Amino acid sequence: MEDLPHMAIQFDVTTGIFSLETNGSTYQMQADRHGCLLHLYYGAPINGPADYLLTFYDRGFSGNPYDAGTDRTYSLDALPQEFPVWGTGDYRSTCLTVKRPDGSCGCDLRYKSHSIRSGKYDLPGLPAVYDTAEQCTSQTLEIELEDICGGLSVTLLYGVFPELDVITRSAVVKNTGTGNIFLEAVQSACLDFVGGEYDLIQFYGRHAMERNYQRSPILHGAMVIGSRRGTSSHQYNPFVIASERGANEDHGDCYGMSFVYSGNFTCTAERDQYDQTRLTIGLSGGQFSWPLAPGECFTAPEVILSYSGRGLAALSHNYHRTLRRHVCRGKYRDIPRPVLINNWEATYFDFTGDKILEIARRASGLGVEMLVLDDGWFGKRDNDSKGLGDWQVNEEKLGGPLSNLVETINGLGMKFGIWTEPEMVSEDSDLYRAHPDWAFALPGRKPVRSRHQLVLDFSRPEVVDHIYGQLCRVLDSANIEYLKWDMNRSICDVWSAAGDGYGCGAILHRYVLGLYGFLERLNRRYPDLLIEGCSGGGGRFDAGMLYYAPQIWCSDNTDAVDRLFIQYGTSFGYPVSAVGSHVSAVPNHQTGRITPMKTRGVAAMAGSFGYELDLSKITEEETACVRRQIADFHKFWPLIHDGDYYRLSGPSRPDCQRAVAAWEFVAQDRSEVLVNLVSLECHGNPPDLYVKLKGLEQAALYQDESSGSLYPGGALMTAGLPIPRPTVEYESWQIHLRRA
Ligand code: GLA
């Protein structure tokens, strides 16, 4: 038995079983008698081998590998696998499709060797979970598989984080042969369940209404979600959960898969002929085809796996902790982000330097800490039909150099941030006039326009370098402490005029690598710059972007009530610290809804907090409310940022009242809790509503900070807390309780 001090990864040479242990889970696989790597088990911790779960029967139309000889009971069509491949007898959704130089498809991977080491592997050029030097308890397992006929090897990578209850996976495919091959699909992880009934929980949406919760049974047939839009997309998020049929927020087995990638992806959930369930996620879906020359390697983006035997809340906590501390980087990972004011919904393109200063002055007087100058400050960008690609300050519009404006804003005690959209170009721009071939377009065809704009070919290093140079000149010209990185259309017309022979199936992955390379350079050159990701709001809200930008504008929909639903769905896989959320004007610009100022603040405080409205147009009462909100946000920040987030209402809580949206932040030591309530319905003479709190200390008493009332922790969790009766539509409450 080989093992390391913490025993997180063990290998038993006699059985060929690998056991990966976290505090709350065991993951087992076996290099079996044929050298096939079979998946055995993922779930609650166990202390023995789980190979007894494998069953061997002669099953009609389920073929047997040649080297199984006359054994008709051994079939890859039925056995659970770790990294199933296409073409050699597994007819389910597989992880790898390889096209050989002779046009044949298929490979047959067998165990060759493995190694175990302390620390977490890196993925060059790709975002990945990292360990911190202070805490380093992670371990890495590499398993090398080889095609039975040679010419191809696959190294499976596993990172085990015992305290986080997380296992990461990736795979490196190498062409060890003599001819060019094509990878037609590479899924980064596969989870096979030999029995049980599972639901797929996924987060679908559209622009301005992202990440809606959908739970459906995984039945016979394949359920496929993903993106073909070049970004991870508003439509489907690359975070999914397979949950035991009866699992809820507090009970049951749940498995998460978070794909650490910001481009196209495919996730397949399938129940097979023998009622087994398979879940895979990675690159594929018809748009992917990666040429691999002899000696070259391809690295699959990472997947973060997590298991909770205590329902969805605990699963979310695993992802929150992992993303917040082991994916996000930079100084703003741990310190409060400045409360910001963004001018977009206040002015759109219609502003001058003086108007921006007026907004900054008013905001700074109320306690706002940073002004973000949104779209329209560069080139001839007075509307959305022009200017993208010309990242030169429009000094005429600003009334002088950017540095003057920034100095004045800094003089108010505020930081300054700026909007950009580096991946895009307008046809009406100097950049496009000089380099029309830098935008994606199919040969001989006019490209599809979206928001009047075209997409720059970020698969070409010279394009990336040019935009990088332009942005650095702006960033170097003034004290800019925040950058909003936007991306406002879906990609199509995928063709690289550079014609380097890669083929269109490789361009979009190379595009994402170009984007990551750019963001990595920015992070290194400006280590203190706070970057906020954005893609028409939350069109690229994924763990990959969080590696470069610790917060992402969650949605272009700033309506407080719609945001409750968007942020609810987002909370399953992402921490509150990742959610960009602003208080905006009413009637709301997206929905026309009118909500109280207080409610807009309560909703925005479940995120990186800010404002996006003309503060000179609000009432005195609202002004006082803004001051209080900012003070409250500072006071509650440690609880919001580092506390455990619990969903107390919502579609996954059928036991809960639907008339109220409720969520809660609980300090890690359970000494404090902030309960947030927003009334969604108003009726005459309504029945009383109670909300059951979570995560408190059963035997402790908790005291309401404002009323002084004392409540037994056990009662708050079992019987609940009475919700005040609303007196106006969409009224909200924040109740702060401390352990007495
Ligand atoms: C996108 C963003 C908005 C705003 C506009 C500017 O839609 O999501 O927040 O920055 O672009 O054009």
Side-chain angles (χ1 to χ4, degrees):
M1 181 84 84
E2 282 173 32
D3 56 52
L4 289 169
H6 300 294
M7 311 273 288
I9 300 173
Q10 301 171 52
F11 177 64
D12 187 324
V13 277
T14 54
T15 58
I17 293 180
F18 294 90
S19 272
L20 280 46
E21 309 283 349
T22 71
N23 293 355
S25 70
T26 298
Y27 186 105
Q28 273 189 9
M29 56 200 146
Q30 180 177 41
D32 76 355
R33 61 189 186 278
H34 298 297
C36 293
L37 191 63
L38 303 182
H39 179 76
L40 296 183
Y41 175 83
Y42 189 25
I46 54 172
N47 55 10
D51 51 344
Y52 77 91
L53 287 167
L54 302 175
T55 57
F56 298 91
Y57 295 106
D58 182 355
R59 305 175 201 251
F61 286 77
S62 287
N64 320 109
Y66 206 80
D67 51 335
T70 55
D71 181 1
R72 290 174 38 157
T73 70
Y74 187 96
S75 177
L76 295 179
D77 193 21
L79 286 165
Q81 295 185 63
E82 202 51 31
F83 194 73
V85 295
W86 174 248
T88 47
D90 185 336
Y91 299 92
R92 296 166 283 185
S93 44
T94 49
C95 281
L96 183 67
T97 305
V98 182
K99 202 169 177 189
R100 304 291 187 157
D102 61 6
S104 65
C105 273
C107 60
D108 188 350
L109 299 175
R110 304 299 170 98
Y111 170 82
K112 186 178 173 213
S113 64
H114 75 271
S115 66
I116 300 170
R117 61 175 191 272
S118 300
K120 163 72 184 2
Y121 62 83
D122 289 329
L123 297 179
L126 283 167
V129 181
Y130 63 88
D131 211 341
T132 52
E134 324 87 73
Q135 287 172 266
C136 188
T137 53
S138 61
Q139 292 180 2
T140 291
L141 167 65
E142 289 193 7
I143 302 178
E144 192 183 350
L145 309 172
E146 211 175 33
D147 187 16
I148 206 163
C149 293
L152 185 85
S153 75
V154 177
T155 303
L156 301 184
L157 300 170
Y158 297 83
V160 183
F161 289 78
E163 282 79 24
L164 298 174
D165 273 329
V166 145
I167 294 173
T168 63
R169 289 191 60 177
S170 173
V172 179
V173 185
K174 183 169 185 185
N175 181 352
T176 55
T178 51
N180 292 329
I181 61 174
F182 281 87
L183 308 181
E184 301 290 332
V186 183
Q187 298 278 284
S188 299
C190 169
L191 268 186
D192 271 351
F193 301 93
V194 288
E197 309 252 332
Y198 294 90
D199 292 339
L200 180 73
I201 299 175
Q202 53 104 342
F203 304 91
Y204 71 96
R206 56 186 183 273
H207 175 238
M209 207 60 220
E210 299 88 339
R211 290 173 296 287
N212 299 278
Y213 173 98
Q214 178 175 292
R215 180 170 182 160
S216 21
I218 303 175
L219 301 173
H220 291 103
M223 238 161 113
V224 183
I225 63 158
S227 168
R228 300 171 181 145
R229 294 169 178 268
T231 55
S232 48
S233 88
H234 299 87
Q235 285 71 17
Y236 296 99
N237 193 265
F239 171 72
V240 296
I241 299 169
S243 72
E244 199 185 12
R245 187 78 24 104
N248 59 24
E249 285 285 345
D250 311 303
H251 302 286
D253 290 335
C254 309
Y255 301 82
M257 274 189 170
S258 180
F259 193 34
V260 189
Y261 190 66
S262 311
N264 286 356
F265 73 97
T266 301
C267 171
T268 307
E270 178 176 10
R271 187 167 172 135
D272 77 2
Q273 56 180 332
Y274 302 117
D275 289 352
Q276 305 186 110
T277 299
R278 174 171 284 181
L279 194 63
T280 60
I281 196 163
L283 300 168
S284 70
Q287 283 76 43
F288 178 77
S289 174
W290 189 269
L292 211 55
E296 279 183 356
C297 290
F298 176 81
T299 303
E302 183 160 276
V303 171
I304 308 171
L305 297 176
S306 187
Y307 161 79
S308 155
R310 294 178 292 116
L312 295 162
L315 186 77
S316 292
H317 295 165
N318 294 346
Y319 281 98
H320 295 173
R321 277 191 277 267
T322 303
L323 295 180
R324 204 164 61 203
R325 297 299 308 277
H326 296 266
V327 173
C328 293
R329 300 179 295 170
K331 83 171 182 188
Y332 286 105
R333 184 188 73 172
D334 303 319
I335 64 167
R337 321 260 168 83
V339 173
L340 65 84
I341 177 127
N342 178 304
N343 71 301
W344 180 242
E345 286 199 12
T347 65
Y348 297 100
F349 291 104
D350 186 15
F351 61 84
T352 59
D354 285 344
K355 177 69 193 166
I356 297 300
L357 274 180
E358 187 192 313
I359 291 174
R361 282 202 188 93
R362 171 90 178 142
S364 93
L366 298 178
V368 175
E369 298 157 307
M370 179 163 74
L371 178 123
V372 174
L373 178 57
D374 210 277
D375 197 353
W377 57 267
F378 54 92
K380 299 203 180 81
R381 184 77 169 168
D382 284 328
N383 57 53
D384 63 13
S385 73
K386 53 188 169 186
L388 291 171
D390 295 343
W391 300 104
Q392 294 97 33
V393 177
N394 183 342
E395 296 190 356
E396 206 180 311
K397 185 167 180 177
L398 294 189
L402 184 63
S403 53
N404 287 2
L405 180 69
V406 177
E407 273 163 32
T408 316
I409 288 172
N410 287 166
L412 298 169
M414 290 178 102
K415 296 180 190 301
F416 177 84
I418 204 158
W419 178 95
T420 61
E421 197 179 357
E423 298 151 81
M424 295 293 148
V425 67
S426 307
E427 286 159 277
D428 187 356
S429 68
D430 293 342
L431 183 75
Y432 187 76
R433 281 183 282 274
H435 299 284
D437 65 310
W438 282 10
F440 280 138
L442 293 172
R445 290 174 197 275
K446 295 291 181 202
V448 170
R449 294 179 178 132
S450 184
R451 208 194 187 200
H452 306 296
Q453 62 201 52
L454 305 182
V455 184
L456 286 174
D457 179 359
F458 262 34
S459 76
R460 292 170 66 176
E462 68 274 28
V463 178
V464 169
D465 287 349
H466 181 87
I467 302 293
Y468 180 74
Q470 283 202 54
L471 275 200
C472 287
R473 276 191 288 283
V474 176
L475 291 172
D476 292 342
S477 74
N479 184 25
I480 298 172
E481 298 180 74
Y482 160 109
L483 180 122
K484 179 168 167 187
W485 182 298
D486 210 340
M487 196 289 189
N488 280 320
R489 60 162 289 178
S490 299
I491 306 177
C492 58
D493 301 301
V494 178
W495 174 255
S496 190
D500 55 9
Y502 256 81
C504 58
I507 293 170
L508 283 180
H509 181 57
R510 280 162 54 93
Y511 177 98
V512 176
L513 296 178
L515 165 73
Y516 287 158
F518 193 140
L519 285 164
E520 186 62 30
R521 279 155 83 186
L522 271 188
N523 268 275
R524 290 195 181 170
R525 182 167 165 149
Y526 306 100
D528 291 340
L529 183 70
L530 172 58
I531 303 179
E532 176 155 355
C534 180
S535 176
R540 200 158 56 184
F541 203 111
D542 54 68
M545 283 309 284
L546 288 174
Y547 186 70
Y548 307 98
Q551 63 192 55
I552 300 174
W553 181 228
C554 188
S555 178
D556 273 350
N557 186 342
T558 59
D559 171 64
V561 172
D562 273 2
R563 267 298 183 114
L564 297 176
F565 294 92
I566 296 167
Q567 293 174 187
Y568 170 84
T570 306
S571 76
F572 282 83
Y574 303 95
V576 159
S577 60
V579 173
S581 202
H582 300 167
V583 171
S584 62
V586 292
N588 178 267
H589 292 191
Q590 290 79 40
T591 62
R593 195 184 336 245
I594 295 176
T595 51
M597 176 62 89
K598 177 168 180 199
T599 299
R600 284 175 267 157
V602 171
M605 266 187 231
S608 286
F609 186 62
Y611 291 83
E612 190 163 331
L613 73 168
D614 191 339
L615 288 171
S616 62
K617 294 193 177 141
I618 62 175
T619 64
E620 263 178 41
E621 201 185 320
E622 288 174 324
T623 305
C625 183
V626 168
R627 283 186 204 280
R628 257 196 320 276
Q629 278 167 351
I630 295 173
D632 281 350
F633 181 69
H634 286 304
K635 174 172 151 193
F636 294 134
W637 185 83
L639 198 49
I640 292 173
H641 189 263
D642 291 324
D644 283 334
Y645 175 95
Y646 286 93
R647 293 170 289 269
L648 304 178
S649 68
S652 70
R653 299 283 322 278
D655 57 315
C656 231
Q657 300 291 349
R658 282 156 198 254
V660 170
W663 67 98
E664 176 201 57
F665 302 99
V666 182
Q668 299 283 335
D669 66 1
R670 300 168 182 226
S671 62
E672 251 189 291
V673 49
L674 181 66
V675 183
N676 302 268
L677 305 166
V678 179
S679 158
L680 298 175
E681 287 177 19
C682 239
H683 300 290
N685 191 19
D688 291 331
L689 301 178
Y690 294 82
V691 62
K692 293 182 184 178
L693 307 194
K694 289 180 185 294
L696 307 186
E697 208 175 295
Q698 178 85 17
L701 281 175
Y702 286 85
Q703 184 161 38
D704 184 328
E705 196 188 36
S706 56
S707 68
S709 305
L710 282 169
Y711 309 105
L716 286 173
M717 294 192 288
T718 309
L721 186 68
I723 298 173
R725 245 185 207 198
T727 53
V728 293
E729 209 173 18
Y730 305 119
E731 191 166 352
S732 62
W733 303 268
Q734 278 184 318
I735 302 169
H736 185 215
L737 308 174
R738 282 188 196 277
R739 195 168 51 201

